[in-house]
Amino acid sequence: MIRLDGQSLTAPLLARIAAGEGVSLDEGALAMVAENRAVVDRIVAEARTVYGINTGFGQFATVVIPPDQLQQLQLNLVRSHAAGVGEPLPKDQTRALMAARINCLLKAHSGIRPEPIRLLADCLNRDVVPVVPSQGSVGASGDLAPLAHMALLLVGEGLAWGPAGLVPGGAALAEAGLAPVVLQAKEGLALINGTQLITALGNLAVARLQRLIPLSDEIAALSLEALRGTRAAFDPRIHAARPHPGQIAVADHMREILGATSAIAESHKDCHRVQDAYSLRCIPQVHGVTRDALAFAGAILERELNAATDNPMIFTDTQESRSGGNFHGQYPAFACDVLAIAAADLASISERRQERLVNPATSDLPAFLTANGGLESGFMMAHVTSAALVSELKGLAQPACVDTIPTSAGKEDHVSMGPIAARKLLRAVDGLEQVLAIEARMALEGVRLVGLAPAAGLDALRGRLSAACAPWTDRPMFEEIQATFRALRDHQEATA
């Protein structure tokens, strides 16, 4: 069980919940939730007019709702805001969404009772997962539509994933031995007002990039050996003179992987070349900035994962409700766009190394990494696939967060488009992983063709790739790429 307390959830932990691990709720945080809820009960009892508790929403904020209609108000809110369209989110992404919302509610500023939070956690632990359409949120006022689809499950409505397909939400709860809740004042709004779709998807991408970015250094090192590149560009003095943390870290990592020398390095130590192409020489500079981007954007997304993003906010100490803008998704949207740019750039330099590997004009290797050129096409089309992926990644790198379309009759006049940023980021990470797999397979074949041992620091990676992929003769390339992809996943697991 992964304990949720509103303040210590991380991207790797969220990824584990998404993959199926259960959650427990911190009892101290739940006690604070109950205290916070008492403020809402007091507001209702005193008949104070407070937005979100006994008024309409958005443009209808001036409409006061009588006490006997407050439950219906909250149910109506959830029903009407469940307006999503498009393909449903995969179950793992929806599980991440649920966990992120639980963690937000445990900050104890939402005015919700513990009961809906417990039910949401029970749904996670029994794998009762709502069907949440992927489109329909502009990322302010929060991810209203996706979270409303999630909230429908808690009141026994909407759809859920069943063993054989989609089932009614109420039936899914009953099958798991769970009962729906009746939403009280403020609780519908508490469930749907926040940035949890952007934040959940962004953190899932972070968890993957935390492994892929260091892996890209290893793959680049294998390419460098296959291309008989020099280690001179990784001299620590060069990088100390331009002290970007990511650049220094990558140069350190490359020296660690490549060691002092190798049989390949010894074979060309007296060659005429004094400088490599940028795709080899500038690995620390290009890979390095992706590390710095991940540090920057990852910190934003982790803070957002442990933030209260509701409106209005309920403050227990002063017994007050205050309206603000924590639901605005610009922070996580901006972070997701930065990471999509980083993924595209990392894939772009990988593709340039691939071109050098298959092009005999830029290496000492046979064309397309086959000794039987003409009869065999070798890795010709693998590079074409990589080029197609990189071109698509460049499109995905176009920021979503700079766009805005005013909604809610102009009240929501600047929105983040964060869910678009988050969804395209995950697509970018998928593409990057495939591009790196293609480079890894090419680099392995290049080293085989050189016929000398590369640096010992590459033994683990080379061993897994070699076990998955026999020396090349023309065969279905897609199977080869898939085998490499799986080998890289295994290598990431082993070195995590």
Side-chain angles (χ1 to χ4, degrees):
M1 290 283 184
I2 293 171
R3 184 175 63 91
L4 301 179
D5 59 8
Q7 56 189 356
S8 57
L9 189 55
T10 64
L13 290 176
L14 188 71
R16 286 167 53 187
I17 297 170
E21 288 197 38
V23 300
S24 63
L25 304 179
D26 182 85
E27 290 300 325
L30 283 173
M32 292 170 59
V33 167
E35 290 180 27
N36 191 251
R37 173 64 199 183
V39 178
V40 175
D41 292 336
R42 188 168 296 110
I43 289 170
V44 173
E46 295 173 357
R48 284 188 265 161
T49 300
V50 176
Y51 173 74
I53 296 177
N54 49 20
T55 72
F57 307 100
Q59 190 70 13
F60 296 124
T62 57
V63 179
V64 178
I65 309 301
D68 62 347
Q69 294 182 347
L70 294 184
Q71 290 182 3
Q72 190 64 47
L73 171 70
Q74 298 300 313
L75 182 58
N76 287 349
L77 176 71
V78 171
R79 286 171 170 168
S80 67
H81 282 55
V85 297
E87 289 296 315
L89 295 174
K91 275 185 68 175
D92 63 331
Q93 294 180 16
T94 305
R95 286 181 59 88
L97 172 70
M98 296 162 73
R101 193 61 199 163
I102 291 170
N103 205 55
C104 173
L105 295 172
L106 290 174
K107 295 294 289 185
H109 287 298
S110 304
I112 196 171
R113 294 170 298 149
E115 286 82 354
I117 303 175
R118 290 188 188 278
L119 178 56
L120 201 50
D122 287 340
C123 287
L124 262 179
N125 291 337
R126 301 184 196 189
D127 203 33
V128 182
V129 179
V131 174
V132 177
S134 59
Q135 295 172 289
S137 173
V138 296
S141 165
D143 292 318
L144 295 170
L147 288 168
H149 282 274
M150 181 200 76
L152 276 179
L153 175 66
L154 303 186
V155 299
E157 298 183 11
L159 293 171
W161 295 101
L166 306 184
V167 298
L173 288 178
E175 180 67 23
L178 300 172
V181 295
V182 176
L183 298 178
Q184 304 299 316
K186 179 66 166 68
E187 290 187 331
L189 188 58
L191 287 167
I192 73 171
N193 198 207
T195 63
Q196 278 63 57
L197 178 63
I198 316 169
T199 305
L201 301 190
N203 275 283
L204 291 181
V206 165
R208 292 174 63 189
L209 286 169
Q210 285 172 339
R211 293 187 176 188
L212 279 178
I213 288 177
L215 176 65
S216 71
D217 298 345
E218 289 188 76
I219 294 170
L222 192 62
S223 292
L224 182 114
E225 288 283 70
L227 291 165
R228 293 182 171 92
T230 177
R231 292 156 163 74
F234 310 127
D235 187 315
R237 296 170 295 179
I238 295 173
H239 305 286
R242 191 196 194 197
H244 292 298
Q247 178 177 330
I248 291 171
V250 172
D252 289 348
H253 194 206
M254 293 297 288
R255 291 195 307 276
E256 177 188 346
I257 296 165
L258 293 168
T261 189
S262 69
I264 292 178
E266 284 296 309
S267 73
H268 64 87
K269 66 179 181 180
D270 297 320
C271 72
H272 65 280
R273 287 180 298 173
V274 294
Q275 290 189 144
D276 289 323
Y278 289 2
S279 58
L280 298 176
R281 198 193 331 164
C282 300
I283 289 168
Q285 290 79 3
V286 178
H287 288 210
V289 75
T290 65
R291 287 193 181 217
D292 289 339
L294 180 60
F296 165 75
I300 288 175
L301 287 162
E302 186 170 302
R303 282 195 298 270
E304 192 78 1
L305 194 57
N306 295 284
T309 57
D310 295 37
N311 183 57
M313 304 272 287
I314 307 299
F315 295 98
T316 306
D317 54 350
T318 59
Q319 303 284 294
E320 290 179 297
S321 171
R322 284 287 183 270
S323 288
N326 279 6
F327 52 71
H328 200 293
Q330 201 69 15
Y331 264 104
F334 194 97
C336 289
D337 280 334
V338 166
L339 291 178
I341 293 169
D345 196 39
L346 200 56
S348 179
I349 195 172
S350 171
E351 182 275 328
R352 288 292 80 202
R353 289 190 292 266
Q354 292 171 44
E355 197 277 336
R356 302 192 76 78
L357 285 163
V358 299
N359 186 349
T362 57
S363 76
D364 298 324
L365 299 167
F368 302 108
L369 300 171
T370 176
N372 300 306
L375 177 64
E376 295 184 349
S377 295
F379 288 82
M380 182 186 298
M381 286 308 297
H383 177 240
V384 172
T385 297
S386 193
L389 288 167
V390 170
S391 182
E392 187 172 346
L393 282 166
K394 291 174 183 177
L396 294 173
Q398 174 64 33
C401 71
V402 296
D403 185 30
T404 181
I405 297 176
T407 58
S408 194
K411 176 149 298 204
E412 299 166 4
D413 59 350
H414 183 281
V415 300
S416 72
M417 300 300 178
I420 300 168
R423 292 200 318 274
K424 70 181 182 64
L425 168 59
L426 284 172
R427 287 173 56 199
V429 175
D430 289 341
L432 169 63
E433 195 167 12
Q434 295 287 1
V435 170
L436 291 176
I438 293 170
E439 182 187 358
R441 182 62 189 89
M442 287 184 182
L444 172 68
E445 201 63 26
V447 166
R448 283 171 169 164
L449 289 166
V450 170
L452 298 170
L458 290 165
D459 285 351
L461 174 62
R462 188 165 62 107
R464 285 190 178 85
L465 293 173
S466 297
C469 302
W472 182 256
T473 57
D474 272 6
R475 51 185 179 263
M477 181 59 76
F478 79 95
E479 294 177 356
E480 199 76 5
I481 296 171
Q482 289 174 352
T484 307
F485 186 89
R486 290 192 295 270
L488 290 178
R489 284 276 178 99
D490 291 343
H491 182 66
Q492 290 176 72
E493 290 294 329
T495 56

